[in-house]
Amino acid sequence: MSECEGADAYRTTAEFYDILQAERDSRLVAELYGARVADARGPVVDVGAGSGTVSFMALACSGAPVHAVEPSAVMRSLLLTRLAWSRADLRARVTVHAGTLPDAELPDGSAALVVCHNVAPTLDEAARRALWDAAARVLEPGGLLLMDRPRAEAPRAPEVAVFAPVRVGADTYEGEVRETACEEGAELAFTYTVRRGQRLVRRRGERFLTRMLPLEVLAAEVGGCGLRWEETGERVLAARRE
């Protein structure tokens, strides 16, 4: 979720992510990447692992080792808490890397699959190119890089997605994200609300910049790192190491 600039980001989102978003995101990543992860015959690298949505999907559907790469300390704390409550045999298959993929101590050619879910738009061009170089380095020959397809154009009008509310004791947790065009691409404004009955207990917000990335831009970047497109679907992009 978060190989983005500013590893101290997500301080607000970390509190609310698992309760409001993780279940929906788990269904999404299983739909987007599950079949290919299940077929992996070597280590799976989860870039921007967040609280472990992709990593736990990989643990559930494959027997491969998993490398969870996450620069944000607050998101890593969620991941490690979830691992602490997991079975020992599952924990034994996960290595958590505190930092970005270019910084991770992964042997060259050691991974069968690198998954970058909700990552590319959070990075500027220099950081993206460093990520693609690192992915090509750690992938074995024929290994796959998978990512969700980023937006190519900013929204013409603000777009709002509302999370399903969740009851916790006497409180109801609510959230929404508003995407609005800005000079550098689009701004995602998350708002989280806690209510006790009709009374507002808390309201917090956090904002993130996302960049618009047409396929031709990504093709030039990824292709320059020794990766070639295998799939350019409406929802998933896949590039194979040559």
Side-chain angles (χ1 to χ4, degrees), residues 13-144:
T13 296
E15 178 182 354
F16 299 96
Y17 176 78
D18 274 1
I19 195 70
L20 289 174
Q21 301 175 61
E23 183 177 353
R24 181 200 64 174
D25 287 352
S26 294
R27 293 194 298 268
L28 177 62
V29 300
E31 182 181 348
L32 295 181
Y33 317 115
R36 280 194 163 112
V37 171
D39 288 339
R41 295 296 178 264
V44 175
V45 180
D46 176 12
V47 177
S51 66
T53 306
V54 172
S55 293
F56 280 91
M57 182 266 290
L59 290 174
C61 71
S62 81
V66 175
H67 293 273
V69 181
E70 177 52 58
S72 167
V74 291
M75 295 307 291
R76 279 199 314 276
S77 69
L78 298 181
L79 170 60
L80 288 167
T81 298
R82 293 179 69 184
L83 286 171
W85 286 94
S86 300
R87 300 196 321 259
D89 61 318
L90 295 181
R91 287 200 306 273
R93 289 167 47 203
V94 185
T95 302
V96 178
H97 300 264
T100 64
L101 185 60
D103 300 327
E105 296 180 356
L106 287 170
D108 294 358
S110 61
L113 200 61
V114 172
V115 182
C116 299
H117 180 68
N118 196 24
V119 170
T122 70
L123 303 175
D124 62 22
E125 181 179 353
R128 288 197 309 273
R129 290 185 181 275
L131 172 58
W132 310 142
D133 280 335
R137 176 181 60 79
V138 303
L139 280 170
E140 64 188 13
L144 275 179

Side-chain angles (χ1 to χ4, degrees), residues 201-224:
V201 177
R202 282 190 299 142
R203 177 169 286 146
R204 299 288 185 270
E206 198 161 36
R207 297 172 182 268
F208 303 94
L209 172 67
T210 62
R211 296 161 179 85
M212 302 299 104
L213 294 173
L215 185 59
E216 56 268 23
V217 171
L218 283 175
E221 294 177 359
V222 170

